[in-house]
Amino acid sequence: MSIKSSAGKVGNILSRPFHSEGKPTRLHPASLWREAVAVAKIYVAPVWAKVRAWYGRYIAPALATISTLGYVVLGAAVVLWILGGVFGWQEAKVAGLLAVVLLLIAIAFILGKSMYAVKLDLARTRVAVGDNAVGSIAVANTSAHTVLPAALELPVGQATALFHLPRMKAGEVHEDLFTIPTTRRAVITVGPVRSVRADPLQLLRRQLVWTDPTDLYVHPRTTSLAGPAAGFLKDLEGLTTRDLSSSDIAFHALRDYVPGDDRRHIHWKTTARTGKLMVRQFEETRRSHMAVALSVNTDEYEHDDDFELAISTAASLGRQAIKENRELSVLTQRGPMHCETGKNLLDDMTRLQGFNRRGTSVDLARTLSDAVPNASVVFLVVGSKVTPAQLRSAAASVPPGVRAFAVRCYTGARAARANIADLTVLTLGDLDDLSILLRKAVA
């Protein structure tokens, strides 16, 4: 805004309290306040914007380098100087001078320009629980002179790893290897790598960020389902239904020809014998489609380990179905999960969190029957607190003709198999027993 236009606006504002005859007009306090705000916006707002920009560019970064101990020393220096001046205490002045000297020495430690090229590399960004994630940090001195020793920090989740850089000549490269132990399913943020300059007393601390953060997925542990356990449906062509079709695989009977029937399905031998056109009729087949309903209601699990066992069980079933190119649907109380690839499924399983504010396993089974009406085999993965009556109610929601299994996860329990009506109930205490249980269940 130009000075001329600003002056014109101010002149208009100041001239409003008078009529054209020159007689003063009484203004309401609210009107005066609005006029004052308008003037402030014209003159104060641009100045305030420049002050904020200057503060964010110079003052804020400088204040960010002062640690908590640094603020204590700075405050002590001010207080001691005031006490020494007011009461004439020379000892207080000396102590305040010493505090100022310590801060000046600390400033000398953090000054200087670092010229690094830092590369953070994780060998794998997806590992299973129990595997070690291996990575490396490569640091190159891109300046034309030798740099002094420094420290690098690498945040790993809630923890921070510290790496010491030696004295590096121009163009020299230093590399450090590290491993990240994985004990629980989680998404761990690794990085960003930052260099740190600080004085020995940690009064001032200057950080520079060199890389972007990287997400490390710690997938749930899964087990391989090989042999008969993998063949949940013995008929590779699909299971027949009671619905009749004019074109399918499973032959049912012969019937009279009606206009519109496909002539390729005319049975010519019977037609020649009876003297009228006869066509084949088929039973519709259902392609192998596995549905997994995983309960994430923590009230249905005895321990946290049981919930992790349930996630590993559902992930193992889904991974095997994807491996065999079967159609797969996985559903929880939070909604459907991505099943396009094993990677997508395990990533979603890694992010999955339990809660106790939504539906039970019975509600989940009802939702599954509506969401996946064409399923040919259903797995309900639940906790040990789900009662037989609840399992019976859940099985009643499964459409007739669909083979249903319920896997009750209870860490340490003995593997067992039982039947509740048409529902096969498997008690699983160890993930390694899943293959054996399934082999017995489909035998």
PDB file of all heavy atoms in Angstrom, residues 74-97 100:
ATOM      1  N   LEU A  74      21.701 -18.299  32.694  1.00  0.00           N
ATOM      2  CA  LEU A  74      21.430 -16.938  32.238  1.00  0.00           C
ATOM      3  C   LEU A  74      20.608 -16.163  33.269  1.00  0.00           C
ATOM      4  O   LEU A  74      20.906 -14.994  33.580  1.00  0.00           O
ATOM      5  CB  LEU A  74      20.696 -16.989  30.900  1.00  0.00           C
ATOM      6  CG  LEU A  74      20.334 -15.639  30.267  1.00  0.00           C
ATOM      7  CD1 LEU A  74      21.594 -14.820  29.993  1.00  0.00           C
ATOM      8  CD2 LEU A  74      19.531 -15.848  28.985  1.00  0.00           C
ATOM      9  N   GLY A  75      19.585 -16.811  33.811  1.00  0.00           N
ATOM     10  CA  GLY A  75      18.783 -16.151  34.835  1.00  0.00           C
ATOM     11  C   GLY A  75      19.580 -15.867  36.091  1.00  0.00           C
ATOM     12  O   GLY A  75      19.432 -14.791  36.713  1.00  0.00           O
ATOM     13  N   ALA A  76      20.464 -16.795  36.483  1.00  0.00           N
ATOM     14  CA  ALA A  76      21.297 -16.584  37.665  1.00  0.00           C
ATOM     15  C   ALA A  76      22.250 -15.411  37.456  1.00  0.00           C
ATOM     16  O   ALA A  76      22.497 -14.622  38.382  1.00  0.00           O
ATOM     17  CB  ALA A  76      22.074 -17.858  37.978  1.00  0.00           C
ATOM     18  N   ALA A  77      22.796 -15.276  36.226  1.00  0.00           N
ATOM     19  CA  ALA A  77      23.705 -14.161  35.944  1.00  0.00           C
ATOM     20  C   ALA A  77      22.988 -12.820  36.111  1.00  0.00           C
ATOM     21  O   ALA A  77      23.526 -11.871  36.709  1.00  0.00           O
ATOM     22  CB  ALA A  77      24.268 -14.301  34.533  1.00  0.00           C
ATOM     23  N   VAL A  78      21.750 -12.729  35.604  1.00  0.00           N
ATOM     24  CA  VAL A  78      20.988 -11.483  35.720  1.00  0.00           C
ATOM     25  C   VAL A  78      20.682 -11.170  37.181  1.00  0.00           C
ATOM     26  O   VAL A  78      20.854 -10.033  37.662  1.00  0.00           O
ATOM     27  CB  VAL A  78      19.697 -11.579  34.882  1.00  0.00           C
ATOM     28  CG1 VAL A  78      18.824 -10.347  35.113  1.00  0.00           C
ATOM     29  CG2 VAL A  78      20.017 -11.732  33.403  1.00  0.00           C
ATOM     30  N   VAL A  79      20.217 -12.177  37.921  1.00  0.00           N
ATOM     31  CA  VAL A  79      19.861 -11.962  39.331  1.00  0.00           C
ATOM     32  C   VAL A  79      21.089 -11.570  40.147  1.00  0.00           C
ATOM     33  O   VAL A  79      21.035 -10.650  40.992  1.00  0.00           O
ATOM     34  CB  VAL A  79      19.193 -13.231  39.905  1.00  0.00           C
ATOM     35  CG1 VAL A  79      19.012 -13.097  41.427  1.00  0.00           C
ATOM     36  CG2 VAL A  79      17.858 -13.483  39.230  1.00  0.00           C
ATOM     37  N   LEU A  80      22.216 -12.244  39.902  1.00  0.00           N
ATOM     38  CA  LEU A  80      23.427 -11.931  40.666  1.00  0.00           C
ATOM     39  C   LEU A  80      23.917 -10.518  40.371  1.00  0.00           C
ATOM     40  O   LEU A  80      24.379  -9.804  41.282  1.00  0.00           O
ATOM     41  CB  LEU A  80      24.516 -12.959  40.340  1.00  0.00           C
ATOM     42  CG  LEU A  80      24.273 -14.372  40.901  1.00  0.00           C
ATOM     43  CD1 LEU A  80      25.308 -15.348  40.363  1.00  0.00           C
ATOM     44  CD2 LEU A  80      24.301 -14.359  42.432  1.00  0.00           C
ATOM     45  N   TRP A  81      23.854 -10.083  39.116  1.00  0.00           N
ATOM     46  CA  TRP A  81      24.267  -8.721  38.793  1.00  0.00           C
ATOM     47  C   TRP A  81      23.360  -7.696  39.463  1.00  0.00           C
ATOM     48  O   TRP A  81      23.817  -6.652  39.955  1.00  0.00           O
ATOM     49  CB  TRP A  81      24.264  -8.510  37.277  1.00  0.00           C
ATOM     50  CG  TRP A  81      25.555  -8.871  36.630  1.00  0.00           C
ATOM     51  CD1 TRP A  81      25.849  -9.985  35.937  1.00  0.00           C
ATOM     52  CD2 TRP A  81      26.737  -8.080  36.637  1.00  0.00           C
ATOM     53  NE1 TRP A  81      27.134  -9.984  35.501  1.00  0.00           N
ATOM     54  CE2 TRP A  81      27.732  -8.810  35.915  1.00  0.00           C
ATOM     55  CE3 TRP A  81      27.087  -6.854  37.179  1.00  0.00           C
ATOM     56  CZ2 TRP A  81      29.018  -8.346  35.722  1.00  0.00           C
ATOM     57  CZ3 TRP A  81      28.388  -6.382  36.981  1.00  0.00           C
ATOM     58  CH2 TRP A  81      29.335  -7.126  36.261  1.00  0.00           C
ATOM     59  N   ILE A  82      22.063  -7.984  39.510  1.00  0.00           N
ATOM     60  CA  ILE A  82      21.140  -7.050  40.171  1.00  0.00           C
ATOM     61  C   ILE A  82      21.404  -6.989  41.675  1.00  0.00           C
ATOM     62  O   ILE A  82      21.461  -5.904  42.279  1.00  0.00           O
ATOM     63  CB  ILE A  82      19.681  -7.465  39.891  1.00  0.00           C
ATOM     64  CG1 ILE A  82      19.365  -7.293  38.393  1.00  0.00           C
ATOM     65  CG2 ILE A  82      18.708  -6.646  40.730  1.00  0.00           C
ATOM     66  CD1 ILE A  82      17.996  -7.786  38.004  1.00  0.00           C
ATOM     67  N   LEU A  83      21.579  -8.137  42.290  1.00  0.00           N
ATOM     68  CA  LEU A  83      21.864  -8.157  43.728  1.00  0.00           C
ATOM     69  C   LEU A  83      23.186  -7.468  44.045  1.00  0.00           C
ATOM     70  O   LEU A  83      23.305  -6.733  45.031  1.00  0.00           O
ATOM     71  CB  LEU A  83      21.890  -9.610  44.223  1.00  0.00           C
ATOM     72  CG  LEU A  83      20.554 -10.357  44.218  1.00  0.00           C
ATOM     73  CD1 LEU A  83      20.755 -11.802  44.661  1.00  0.00           C
ATOM     74  CD2 LEU A  83      19.543  -9.659  45.110  1.00  0.00           C
ATOM     75  N   GLY A  84      24.190  -7.727  43.194  1.00  0.00           N
ATOM     76  CA  GLY A  84      25.491  -7.093  43.431  1.00  0.00           C
ATOM     77  C   GLY A  84      25.415  -5.589  43.298  1.00  0.00           C
ATOM     78  O   GLY A  84      26.075  -4.844  44.043  1.00  0.00           O
ATOM     79  N   GLY A  85      24.607  -5.089  42.324  1.00  0.00           N
ATOM     80  CA  GLY A  85      24.493  -3.650  42.142  1.00  0.00           C
ATOM     81  C   GLY A  85      23.673  -2.980  43.221  1.00  0.00           C
ATOM     82  O   GLY A  85      23.964  -1.854  43.635  1.00  0.00           O
ATOM     83  N   VAL A  86      22.598  -3.654  43.691  1.00  0.00           N
ATOM     84  CA  VAL A  86      21.719  -3.052  44.692  1.00  0.00           C
ATOM     85  C   VAL A  86      22.353  -3.043  46.073  1.00  0.00           C
ATOM     86  O   VAL A  86      22.329  -2.033  46.799  1.00  0.00           O
ATOM     87  CB  VAL A  86      20.357  -3.780  44.709  1.00  0.00           C
ATOM     88  CG1 VAL A  86      19.491  -3.266  45.869  1.00  0.00           C
ATOM     89  CG2 VAL A  86      19.628  -3.586  43.382  1.00  0.00           C
ATOM     90  N   PHE A  87      22.942  -4.193  46.454  1.00  0.00           N
ATOM     91  CA  PHE A  87      23.467  -4.317  47.806  1.00  0.00           C
ATOM     92  C   PHE A  87      24.986  -4.154  47.879  1.00  0.00           C
ATOM     93  O   PHE A  87      25.561  -4.236  48.956  1.00  0.00           O
ATOM     94  CB  PHE A  87      23.089  -5.682  48.394  1.00  0.00           C
ATOM     95  CG  PHE A  87      21.606  -5.879  48.530  1.00  0.00           C
ATOM     96  CD1 PHE A  87      20.899  -6.631  47.593  1.00  0.00           C
ATOM     97  CD2 PHE A  87      20.902  -5.296  49.572  1.00  0.00           C
ATOM     98  CE1 PHE A  87      19.539  -6.824  47.704  1.00  0.00           C
ATOM     99  CE2 PHE A  87      19.531  -5.487  49.684  1.00  0.00           C
ATOM    100  CZ  PHE A  87      18.843  -6.247  48.756  1.00  0.00           C
ATOM    101  N   GLY A  88      25.608  -3.983  46.724  1.00  0.00           N
ATOM    102  CA  GLY A  88      27.049  -3.806  46.724  1.00  0.00           C
ATOM    103  C   GLY A  88      27.831  -5.069  47.033  1.00  0.00           C
ATOM    104  O   GLY A  88      28.947  -5.000  47.562  1.00  0.00           O
ATOM    105  N   TRP A  89      27.280  -6.216  46.710  1.00  0.00           N
ATOM    106  CA  TRP A  89      27.963  -7.488  46.963  1.00  0.00           C
ATOM    107  C   TRP A  89      28.913  -7.779  45.790  1.00  0.00           C
ATOM    108  O   TRP A  89      28.491  -8.097  44.685  1.00  0.00           O
ATOM    109  CB  TRP A  89      26.948  -8.624  47.097  1.00  0.00           C
ATOM    110  CG  TRP A  89      26.058  -8.486  48.310  1.00  0.00           C
ATOM    111  CD1 TRP A  89      26.234  -7.665  49.369  1.00  0.00           C
ATOM    112  CD2 TRP A  89      24.851  -9.220  48.532  1.00  0.00           C
ATOM    113  NE1 TRP A  89      25.234  -7.828  50.280  1.00  0.00           N
ATOM    114  CE2 TRP A  89      24.344  -8.782  49.795  1.00  0.00           C
ATOM    115  CE3 TRP A  89      24.149 -10.201  47.843  1.00  0.00           C
ATOM    116  CZ2 TRP A  89      23.184  -9.290  50.346  1.00  0.00           C
ATOM    117  CZ3 TRP A  89      22.993 -10.708  48.394  1.00  0.00           C
ATOM    118  CH2 TRP A  89      22.512 -10.255  49.626  1.00  0.00           C
ATOM    119  N   GLN A  90      30.192  -7.705  46.061  1.00  0.00           N
ATOM    120  CA  GLN A  90      31.172  -7.988  45.022  1.00  0.00           C
ATOM    121  C   GLN A  90      31.179  -9.466  44.656  1.00  0.00           C
ATOM    122  O   GLN A  90      31.432  -9.848  43.513  1.00  0.00           O
ATOM    123  CB  GLN A  90      32.565  -7.548  45.489  1.00  0.00           C
ATOM    124  CG  GLN A  90      32.686  -6.050  45.754  1.00  0.00           C
ATOM    125  CD  GLN A  90      32.387  -5.241  44.507  1.00  0.00           C
ATOM    126  OE1 GLN A  90      32.761  -5.630  43.396  1.00  0.00           O
ATOM    127  NE2 GLN A  90      31.725  -4.092  44.692  1.00  0.00           N
ATOM    128  N   GLU A  91      30.912 -10.300  45.652  1.00  0.00           N
ATOM    129  CA  GLU A  91      30.890 -11.742  45.372  1.00  0.00           C
ATOM    130  C   GLU A  91      29.793 -12.090  44.365  1.00  0.00           C
ATOM    131  O   GLU A  91      29.977 -12.946  43.482  1.00  0.00           O
ATOM    132  CB  GLU A  91      30.659 -12.539  46.659  1.00  0.00           C
ATOM    133  CG  GLU A  91      31.765 -12.426  47.678  1.00  0.00           C
ATOM    134  CD  GLU A  91      31.643 -11.157  48.516  1.00  0.00           C
ATOM    135  OE1 GLU A  91      30.705 -10.358  48.239  1.00  0.00           O
ATOM    136  OE2 GLU A  91      32.478 -10.961  49.418  1.00  0.00           O
ATOM    137  N   ALA A  92      28.633 -11.438  44.510  1.00  0.00           N
ATOM    138  CA  ALA A  92      27.529 -11.695  43.573  1.00  0.00           C
ATOM    139  C   ALA A  92      27.899 -11.238  42.166  1.00  0.00           C
ATOM    140  O   ALA A  92      27.589 -11.909  41.179  1.00  0.00           O
ATOM    141  CB  ALA A  92      26.269 -10.984  44.046  1.00  0.00           C
ATOM    142  N   LYS A  93      28.592 -10.088  42.056  1.00  0.00           N
ATOM    143  CA  LYS A  93      29.019  -9.611  40.742  1.00  0.00           C
ATOM    144  C   LYS A  93      30.018 -10.571  40.107  1.00  0.00           C
ATOM    145  O   LYS A  93      29.949 -10.843  38.903  1.00  0.00           O
ATOM    146  CB  LYS A  93      29.629  -8.214  40.866  1.00  0.00           C
ATOM    147  CG  LYS A  93      28.624  -7.121  41.188  1.00  0.00           C
ATOM    148  CD  LYS A  93      29.291  -5.769  41.187  1.00  0.00           C
ATOM    149  CE  LYS A  93      28.304  -4.645  41.432  1.00  0.00           C
ATOM    150  NZ  LYS A  93      28.942  -3.298  41.410  1.00  0.00           N
ATOM    151  N   VAL A  94      30.938 -11.098  40.920  1.00  0.00           N
ATOM    152  CA  VAL A  94      31.923 -12.044  40.386  1.00  0.00           C
ATOM    153  C   VAL A  94      31.229 -13.314  39.899  1.00  0.00           C
ATOM    154  O   VAL A  94      31.559 -13.867  38.833  1.00  0.00           O
ATOM    155  CB  VAL A  94      32.990 -12.357  41.455  1.00  0.00           C
ATOM    156  CG1 VAL A  94      33.904 -13.494  40.967  1.00  0.00           C
ATOM    157  CG2 VAL A  94      33.804 -11.115  41.772  1.00  0.00           C
ATOM    158  N   ALA A  95      30.264 -13.805  40.690  1.00  0.00           N
ATOM    159  CA  ALA A  95      29.546 -15.016  40.282  1.00  0.00           C
ATOM    160  C   ALA A  95      28.749 -14.763  39.004  1.00  0.00           C
ATOM    161  O   ALA A  95      28.693 -15.612  38.107  1.00  0.00           O
ATOM    162  CB  ALA A  95      28.624 -15.466  41.409  1.00  0.00           C
ATOM    163  N   GLY A  96      28.129 -13.578  38.898  1.00  0.00           N
ATOM    164  CA  GLY A  96      27.406 -13.253  37.679  1.00  0.00           C
ATOM    165  C   GLY A  96      28.323 -13.142  36.483  1.00  0.00           C
ATOM    166  O   GLY A  96      27.976 -13.583  35.375  1.00  0.00           O
ATOM    167  N   LEU A  97      29.514 -12.558  36.687  1.00  0.00           N
ATOM    168  CA  LEU A  97      30.494 -12.469  35.605  1.00  0.00           C
ATOM    169  C   LEU A  97      30.955 -13.845  35.168  1.00  0.00           C
ATOM    170  O   LEU A  97      31.125 -14.114  33.972  1.00  0.00           O
ATOM    171  CB  LEU A  97      31.681 -11.624  36.066  1.00  0.00           C
ATOM    172  CG  LEU A  97      32.805 -11.434  35.044  1.00  0.00           C
ATOM    173  CD1 LEU A  97      32.273 -10.729  33.795  1.00  0.00           C
ATOM    174  CD2 LEU A  97      33.978 -10.670  35.649  1.00  0.00           C
ATOM    175  N   VAL A 100      28.348 -15.368  32.934  1.00  0.00           N
ATOM    176  CA  VAL A 100      28.398 -14.787  31.592  1.00  0.00           C
ATOM    177  C   VAL A 100      29.568 -15.366  30.797  1.00  0.00           C
ATOM    178  O   VAL A 100      29.446 -15.665  29.608  1.00  0.00           O
ATOM    179  CB  VAL A 100      28.501 -13.256  31.688  1.00  0.00           C
ATOM    180  CG1 VAL A 100      28.753 -12.643  30.310  1.00  0.00           C
ATOM    181  CG2 VAL A 100      27.239 -12.667  32.302  1.00  0.00           C
TER     182      VAL A 100
END
